[in-house]
Amino acid sequence: MMTDNSSPNHEIKSLSETETVSQVEPDTQIPPDRPSTPTRTLFGKKSPWPIAILVMLVFAGLFGWRLYRTTQSPAVTESETASIAKLPVRAVRAQLAPIRRWVTSPDGDVRAERYKQLIFESSGEVTQLAKVNGRFLREGDRVGKGQLLATIDDRRYRSDIRAVSADREVAKRTEEQAVAGLRQTQAKLRQAKADLELAKLEAKRRQTLYKQGVIPATERDTYNNRVIQAQVGVQVAQENVKSAQEQIVVSKAGVVSNQARLLNTVIAREDTQLVSPINGIVAYLNIREGEYWSPSRVQSATSYQSAIESVPIVVVDPGSFEVAFEIPASEGSLLRPNQPAYIALDDDISQAFVKGLNQSDLVSVAKARGRVFSVTPAVTPGGRAVQVRVRITEGRENLRLGSRVQTWIAAQSRSEAITLPFGAVITRERKSYVFVVNEETGRVEQRPVVLDIEGLDRISIARGLKPGELVVTEGSNRLVDNSPIDVVDIEGEA
């Protein structure tokens, strides 16, 4: 029931009739000339805001009450547990197993441990290529030590050898003549000395006879002069001997000089020949008879592979292969001589990765095995890498010289360690965790762990886990500590 606005007895206007609430003094009179203000009703127009505000307040109260219950009492009743959805996960039991850490290189080169690169040091046309069973030499042929394999045009060298050989013969003849002349002068010297002794003896006798008055002074003087002449003859003979000796020295020097020239000429001619220094197999043959060879072909090579593909012939010892490669210096510190290594072809490794590579697969797909022979202590400039050489001990017949292979080296190993699949370990805030399943409560514990060795498909745990504990492997990205879970599958258990 609405009241008269002019009534002095009303105090509060109804919210259904007016937008605002106001008080009117009882003795207040509205001027008759002031028009009455029209009123607006809030509920009369069905405004939604009061209802919306009321609903929001209710929800806020419920949320605050639930948050208070959670913070004050973490324990959850059985009825509340049943109402919370369990997250499906897969799990695996931590097990004790051997594990190895592998250092890998995808860019290994198969090389011969003992090999010889045969290179012409001179330029010229290839005039001769060795023949085997009536055909020209080819790759894969066995050759013997000292066997002539190829020759380039050596006519100039052969001419030089003939000329130097003739000069050497002349020098030898001169030496022989000098030796003969020395013998003659030595004989003359002996004769001159004998003549001198005889002259002295005769002069002495004549001196005695002269003193006895048997002969005159003239005869005595004659024999004294003969002594002087004999002394001069000895001196001349001595000078001739000395001259002959010097001539021998000169002639011998000529012989030595010509011998050296001949040796140099022969060596120069050997630069036009390729002779195998070992018993081995022709691994690379990059020349043909009639081709022109120049040493610049090798000088322009920039890598090991391009070098061996440009030298005329490479002979290898088939019983000694090795693999050479580079790895980062940080991994090089893990390697030691004699560590086991596995060598596999790229295609085999690719197929194994598609199937899921593990340690047993790697051993089965490896075409050869070996051991670390050396790890270069120096780091390559700019590359910050070290070079590693692995000597092949098994399966060298499955490798070809120059092949590109992948090498896997067992750098660290544990005969028994707690291992998990890689997917079981998560990293949050630079720390490693696993979710351990409490099989009694159906909840998980987010537990920090210390990692140890990374294998091909598993990782070992140094601390934080016990053998036999159930660990989540799939579905951990949605979990937090104490999350309820439903283990839908345990790996390795029926």
Side-chain angles (χ1 to χ4, degrees), residues 231-246:
Q231 289 176 339
V232 173
V234 170
Q235 292 177 354
V236 171
Q238 288 175 338
E239 291 295 330
N240 290 337
V241 169
K242 184 178 180 181
S243 177
Q245 289 174 339
E246 292 176 351

mmCIF file with all atom_site columns, all heavy atoms in Angstrom, residues 231-246:
data_model
loop_
_atom_site.group_PDB
_atom_site.id
_atom_site.type_symbol
_atom_site.label_atom_id
_atom_site.label_alt_id
_atom_site.label_comp_id
_atom_site.label_asym_id
_atom_site.label_entity_id
_atom_site.label_seq_id
_atom_site.pdbx_PDB_ins_code
_atom_site.Cartn_x
_atom_site.Cartn_y
_atom_site.Cartn_z
_atom_site.occupancy
_atom_site.B_iso_or_equiv
_atom_site.pdbx_formal_charge
_atom_site.auth_seq_id
_atom_site.auth_comp_id
_atom_site.auth_asym_id
_atom_site.auth_atom_id
_atom_site.pdbx_PDB_model_num
ATOM 1   N N   . GLN A 1 231 ? 172.290 -37.291 -52.090 1.00 0.00 ? 231 GLN A N   1
ATOM 2   C CA  . GLN A 1 231 ? 171.382 -36.616 -51.136 1.00 0.00 ? 231 GLN A CA  1
ATOM 3   C C   . GLN A 1 231 ? 170.314 -35.815 -51.869 1.00 0.00 ? 231 GLN A C   1
ATOM 4   O O   . GLN A 1 231 ? 169.128 -35.810 -51.481 1.00 0.00 ? 231 GLN A O   1
ATOM 5   C CB  . GLN A 1 231 ? 172.200 -35.723 -50.207 1.00 0.00 ? 231 GLN A CB  1
ATOM 6   C CG  . GLN A 1 231 ? 173.049 -36.499 -49.213 1.00 0.00 ? 231 GLN A CG  1
ATOM 7   C CD  . GLN A 1 231 ? 173.933 -35.589 -48.375 1.00 0.00 ? 231 GLN A CD  1
ATOM 8   O OE1 . GLN A 1 231 ? 174.206 -34.439 -48.774 1.00 0.00 ? 231 GLN A OE1 1
ATOM 9   N NE2 . GLN A 1 231 ? 174.420 -36.094 -47.244 1.00 0.00 ? 231 GLN A NE2 1
ATOM 10  N N   . VAL A 1 232 ? 170.742 -35.139 -52.921 1.00 0.00 ? 232 VAL A N   1
ATOM 11  C CA  . VAL A 1 232 ? 169.775 -34.389 -53.724 1.00 0.00 ? 232 VAL A CA  1
ATOM 12  C C   . VAL A 1 232 ? 168.768 -35.333 -54.364 1.00 0.00 ? 232 VAL A C   1
ATOM 13  O O   . VAL A 1 232 ? 167.556 -35.067 -54.430 1.00 0.00 ? 232 VAL A O   1
ATOM 14  C CB  . VAL A 1 232 ? 170.496 -33.550 -54.792 1.00 0.00 ? 232 VAL A CB  1
ATOM 15  C CG1 . VAL A 1 232 ? 169.480 -32.917 -55.740 1.00 0.00 ? 232 VAL A CG1 1
ATOM 16  C CG2 . VAL A 1 232 ? 171.366 -32.488 -54.134 1.00 0.00 ? 232 VAL A CG2 1
ATOM 17  N N   . GLY A 1 233 ? 169.257 -36.480 -54.840 1.00 0.00 ? 233 GLY A N   1
ATOM 18  C CA  . GLY A 1 233 ? 168.357 -37.471 -55.440 1.00 0.00 ? 233 GLY A CA  1
ATOM 19  C C   . GLY A 1 233 ? 167.317 -37.972 -54.452 1.00 0.00 ? 233 GLY A C   1
ATOM 20  O O   . GLY A 1 233 ? 166.141 -38.189 -54.792 1.00 0.00 ? 233 GLY A O   1
ATOM 21  N N   . VAL A 1 234 ? 167.761 -38.158 -53.201 1.00 0.00 ? 234 VAL A N   1
ATOM 22  C CA  . VAL A 1 234 ? 166.790 -38.584 -52.162 1.00 0.00 ? 234 VAL A CA  1
ATOM 23  C C   . VAL A 1 234 ? 165.736 -37.518 -51.928 1.00 0.00 ? 234 VAL A C   1
ATOM 24  O O   . VAL A 1 234 ? 164.532 -37.804 -51.799 1.00 0.00 ? 234 VAL A O   1
ATOM 25  C CB  . VAL A 1 234 ? 167.543 -38.929 -50.860 1.00 0.00 ? 234 VAL A CB  1
ATOM 26  C CG1 . VAL A 1 234 ? 166.547 -39.131 -49.718 1.00 0.00 ? 234 VAL A CG1 1
ATOM 27  C CG2 . VAL A 1 234 ? 168.401 -40.170 -51.035 1.00 0.00 ? 234 VAL A CG2 1
ATOM 28  N N   . GLN A 1 235 ? 166.163 -36.270 -51.861 1.00 0.00 ? 235 GLN A N   1
ATOM 29  C CA  . GLN A 1 235 ? 165.200 -35.186 -51.645 1.00 0.00 ? 235 GLN A CA  1
ATOM 30  C C   . GLN A 1 235 ? 164.192 -35.098 -52.779 1.00 0.00 ? 235 GLN A C   1
ATOM 31  O O   . GLN A 1 235 ? 162.984 -34.902 -52.549 1.00 0.00 ? 235 GLN A O   1
ATOM 32  C CB  . GLN A 1 235 ? 165.963 -33.869 -51.482 1.00 0.00 ? 235 GLN A CB  1
ATOM 33  C CG  . GLN A 1 235 ? 166.794 -33.784 -50.207 1.00 0.00 ? 235 GLN A CG  1
ATOM 34  C CD  . GLN A 1 235 ? 167.586 -32.501 -50.120 1.00 0.00 ? 235 GLN A CD  1
ATOM 35  O OE1 . GLN A 1 235 ? 167.614 -31.701 -51.075 1.00 0.00 ? 235 GLN A OE1 1
ATOM 36  N NE2 . GLN A 1 235 ? 168.254 -32.292 -48.984 1.00 0.00 ? 235 GLN A NE2 1
ATOM 37  N N   . VAL A 1 236 ? 164.685 -35.238 -54.010 1.00 0.00 ? 236 VAL A N   1
ATOM 38  C CA  . VAL A 1 236 ? 163.776 -35.194 -55.164 1.00 0.00 ? 236 VAL A CA  1
ATOM 39  C C   . VAL A 1 236 ? 162.785 -36.352 -55.098 1.00 0.00 ? 236 VAL A C   1
ATOM 40  O O   . VAL A 1 236 ? 161.570 -36.204 -55.358 1.00 0.00 ? 236 VAL A O   1
ATOM 41  C CB  . VAL A 1 236 ? 164.588 -35.219 -56.483 1.00 0.00 ? 236 VAL A CB  1
ATOM 42  C CG1 . VAL A 1 236 ? 163.637 -35.407 -57.667 1.00 0.00 ? 236 VAL A CG1 1
ATOM 43  C CG2 . VAL A 1 236 ? 165.402 -33.954 -56.632 1.00 0.00 ? 236 VAL A CG2 1
ATOM 44  N N   . ALA A 1 237 ? 163.279 -37.550 -54.766 1.00 0.00 ? 237 ALA A N   1
ATOM 45  C CA  . ALA A 1 237 ? 162.396 -38.720 -54.676 1.00 0.00 ? 237 ALA A CA  1
ATOM 46  C C   . ALA A 1 237 ? 161.355 -38.521 -53.586 1.00 0.00 ? 237 ALA A C   1
ATOM 47  O O   . ALA A 1 237 ? 160.181 -38.908 -53.735 1.00 0.00 ? 237 ALA A O   1
ATOM 48  C CB  . ALA A 1 237 ? 163.242 -39.969 -54.428 1.00 0.00 ? 237 ALA A CB  1
ATOM 49  N N   . GLN A 1 238 ? 161.752 -37.931 -52.485 1.00 0.00 ? 238 GLN A N   1
ATOM 50  C CA  . GLN A 1 238 ? 160.791 -37.668 -51.403 1.00 0.00 ? 238 GLN A CA  1
ATOM 51  C C   . GLN A 1 238 ? 159.700 -36.697 -51.847 1.00 0.00 ? 238 GLN A C   1
ATOM 52  O O   . GLN A 1 238 ? 158.512 -36.871 -51.525 1.00 0.00 ? 238 GLN A O   1
ATOM 53  C CB  . GLN A 1 238 ? 161.537 -37.129 -50.179 1.00 0.00 ? 238 GLN A CB  1
ATOM 54  C CG  . GLN A 1 238 ? 162.381 -38.181 -49.458 1.00 0.00 ? 238 GLN A CG  1
ATOM 55  C CD  . GLN A 1 238 ? 163.187 -37.593 -48.325 1.00 0.00 ? 238 GLN A CD  1
ATOM 56  O OE1 . GLN A 1 238 ? 163.451 -36.378 -48.293 1.00 0.00 ? 238 GLN A OE1 1
ATOM 57  N NE2 . GLN A 1 238 ? 163.628 -38.441 -47.385 1.00 0.00 ? 238 GLN A NE2 1
ATOM 58  N N   . GLU A 1 239 ? 160.094 -35.665 -52.590 1.00 0.00 ? 239 GLU A N   1
ATOM 59  C CA  . GLU A 1 239 ? 159.097 -34.715 -53.106 1.00 0.00 ? 239 GLU A CA  1
ATOM 60  C C   . GLU A 1 239 ? 158.148 -35.400 -54.083 1.00 0.00 ? 239 GLU A C   1
ATOM 61  O O   . GLU A 1 239 ? 156.939 -35.132 -54.093 1.00 0.00 ? 239 GLU A O   1
ATOM 62  C CB  . GLU A 1 239 ? 159.809 -33.539 -53.769 1.00 0.00 ? 239 GLU A CB  1
ATOM 63  C CG  . GLU A 1 239 ? 160.556 -32.630 -52.800 1.00 0.00 ? 239 GLU A CG  1
ATOM 64  C CD  . GLU A 1 239 ? 159.600 -31.931 -51.848 1.00 0.00 ? 239 GLU A CD  1
ATOM 65  O OE1 . GLU A 1 239 ? 158.430 -31.669 -52.244 1.00 0.00 ? 239 GLU A OE1 1
ATOM 66  O OE2 . GLU A 1 239 ? 160.011 -31.652 -50.711 1.00 0.00 ? 239 GLU A OE2 1
ATOM 67  N N   . ASN A 1 240 ? 158.689 -36.293 -54.905 1.00 0.00 ? 240 ASN A N   1
ATOM 68  C CA  . ASN A 1 240 ? 157.838 -37.017 -55.846 1.00 0.00 ? 240 ASN A CA  1
ATOM 69  C C   . ASN A 1 240 ? 156.845 -37.924 -55.127 1.00 0.00 ? 240 ASN A C   1
ATOM 70  O O   . ASN A 1 240 ? 155.677 -38.059 -55.539 1.00 0.00 ? 240 ASN A O   1
ATOM 71  C CB  . ASN A 1 240 ? 158.709 -37.836 -56.791 1.00 0.00 ? 240 ASN A CB  1
ATOM 72  C CG  . ASN A 1 240 ? 159.493 -36.961 -57.755 1.00 0.00 ? 240 ASN A CG  1
ATOM 73  O OD1 . ASN A 1 240 ? 159.102 -35.811 -58.032 1.00 0.00 ? 240 ASN A OD1 1
ATOM 74  N ND2 . ASN A 1 240 ? 160.618 -37.480 -58.273 1.00 0.00 ? 240 ASN A ND2 1
ATOM 75  N N   . VAL A 1 241 ? 157.289 -38.533 -54.060 1.00 0.00 ? 241 VAL A N   1
ATOM 76  C CA  . VAL A 1 241 ? 156.369 -39.387 -53.271 1.00 0.00 ? 241 VAL A CA  1
ATOM 77  C C   . VAL A 1 241 ? 155.245 -38.543 -52.667 1.00 0.00 ? 241 VAL A C   1
ATOM 78  O O   . VAL A 1 241 ? 154.071 -38.928 -52.687 1.00 0.00 ? 241 VAL A O   1
ATOM 79  C CB  . VAL A 1 241 ? 157.154 -40.131 -52.179 1.00 0.00 ? 241 VAL A CB  1
ATOM 80  C CG1 . VAL A 1 241 ? 156.183 -40.791 -51.196 1.00 0.00 ? 241 VAL A CG1 1
ATOM 81  C CG2 . VAL A 1 241 ? 158.074 -41.164 -52.797 1.00 0.00 ? 241 VAL A CG2 1
ATOM 82  N N   . LYS A 1 242 ? 155.634 -37.407 -52.122 1.00 0.00 ? 242 LYS A N   1
ATOM 83  C CA  . LYS A 1 242 ? 154.623 -36.527 -51.535 1.00 0.00 ? 242 LYS A CA  1
ATOM 84  C C   . LYS A 1 242 ? 153.625 -36.065 -52.579 1.00 0.00 ? 242 LYS A C   1
ATOM 85  O O   . LYS A 1 242 ? 152.403 -36.021 -52.318 1.00 0.00 ? 242 LYS A O   1
ATOM 86  C CB  . LYS A 1 242 ? 155.325 -35.338 -50.893 1.00 0.00 ? 242 LYS A CB  1
ATOM 87  C CG  . LYS A 1 242 ? 154.396 -34.399 -50.158 1.00 0.00 ? 242 LYS A CG  1
ATOM 88  C CD  . LYS A 1 242 ? 155.170 -33.266 -49.498 1.00 0.00 ? 242 LYS A CD  1
ATOM 89  C CE  . LYS A 1 242 ? 154.227 -32.332 -48.773 1.00 0.00 ? 242 LYS A CE  1
ATOM 90  N NZ  . LYS A 1 242 ? 154.956 -31.198 -48.130 1.00 0.00 ? 242 LYS A NZ  1
ATOM 91  N N   . SER A 1 243 ? 154.128 -35.713 -53.757 1.00 0.00 ? 243 SER A N   1
ATOM 92  C CA  . SER A 1 243 ? 153.239 -35.287 -54.843 1.00 0.00 ? 243 SER A CA  1
ATOM 93  C C   . SER A 1 243 ? 152.307 -36.411 -55.269 1.00 0.00 ? 243 SER A C   1
ATOM 94  O O   . SER A 1 243 ? 151.108 -36.199 -55.529 1.00 0.00 ? 243 SER A O   1
ATOM 95  C CB  . SER A 1 243 ? 154.075 -34.797 -56.026 1.00 0.00 ? 243 SER A CB  1
ATOM 96  O OG  . SER A 1 243 ? 153.236 -34.452 -57.103 1.00 0.00 ? 243 SER A OG  1
ATOM 97  N N   . ALA A 1 244 ? 152.857 -37.624 -55.326 1.00 0.00 ? 244 ALA A N   1
ATOM 98  C CA  . ALA A 1 244 ? 152.031 -38.769 -55.710 1.00 0.00 ? 244 ALA A CA  1
ATOM 99  C C   . ALA A 1 244 ? 150.945 -39.036 -54.663 1.00 0.00 ? 244 ALA A C   1
ATOM 100 O O   . ALA A 1 244 ? 149.802 -39.390 -54.989 1.00 0.00 ? 244 ALA A O   1
ATOM 101 C CB  . ALA A 1 244 ? 152.919 -39.995 -55.915 1.00 0.00 ? 244 ALA A CB  1
ATOM 102 N N   . GLN A 1 245 ? 151.294 -38.865 -53.410 1.00 0.00 ? 245 GLN A N   1
ATOM 103 C CA  . GLN A 1 245 ? 150.304 -39.053 -52.347 1.00 0.00 ? 245 GLN A CA  1
ATOM 104 C C   . GLN A 1 245 ? 149.179 -38.016 -52.448 1.00 0.00 ? 245 GLN A C   1
ATOM 105 O O   . GLN A 1 245 ? 147.997 -38.339 -52.262 1.00 0.00 ? 245 GLN A O   1
ATOM 106 C CB  . GLN A 1 245 ? 151.001 -38.968 -50.985 1.00 0.00 ? 245 GLN A CB  1
ATOM 107 C CG  . GLN A 1 245 ? 151.902 -40.168 -50.686 1.00 0.00 ? 245 GLN A CG  1
ATOM 108 C CD  . GLN A 1 245 ? 152.692 -39.990 -49.405 1.00 0.00 ? 245 GLN A CD  1
ATOM 109 O OE1 . GLN A 1 245 ? 152.889 -38.854 -48.939 1.00 0.00 ? 245 GLN A OE1 1
ATOM 110 N NE2 . GLN A 1 245 ? 153.167 -41.100 -48.820 1.00 0.00 ? 245 GLN A NE2 1
ATOM 111 N N   . GLU A 1 246 ? 149.567 -36.793 -52.731 1.00 0.00 ? 246 GLU A N   1
ATOM 112 C CA  . GLU A 1 246 ? 148.539 -35.748 -52.901 1.00 0.00 ? 246 GLU A CA  1
ATOM 113 C C   . GLU A 1 246 ? 147.661 -36.043 -54.114 1.00 0.00 ? 246 GLU A C   1
ATOM 114 O O   . GLU A 1 246 ? 146.445 -35.790 -54.086 1.00 0.00 ? 246 GLU A O   1
ATOM 115 C CB  . GLU A 1 246 ? 149.223 -34.388 -53.037 1.00 0.00 ? 246 GLU A CB  1
ATOM 116 C CG  . GLU A 1 246 ? 149.912 -33.912 -51.760 1.00 0.00 ? 246 GLU A CG  1
ATOM 117 C CD  . GLU A 1 246 ? 150.661 -32.616 -51.955 1.00 0.00 ? 246 GLU A CD  1
ATOM 118 O OE1 . GLU A 1 246 ? 150.787 -32.190 -53.139 1.00 0.00 ? 246 GLU A OE1 1
ATOM 119 O OE2 . GLU A 1 246 ? 151.121 -32.015 -50.964 1.00 0.00 ? 246 GLU A OE2 1
#
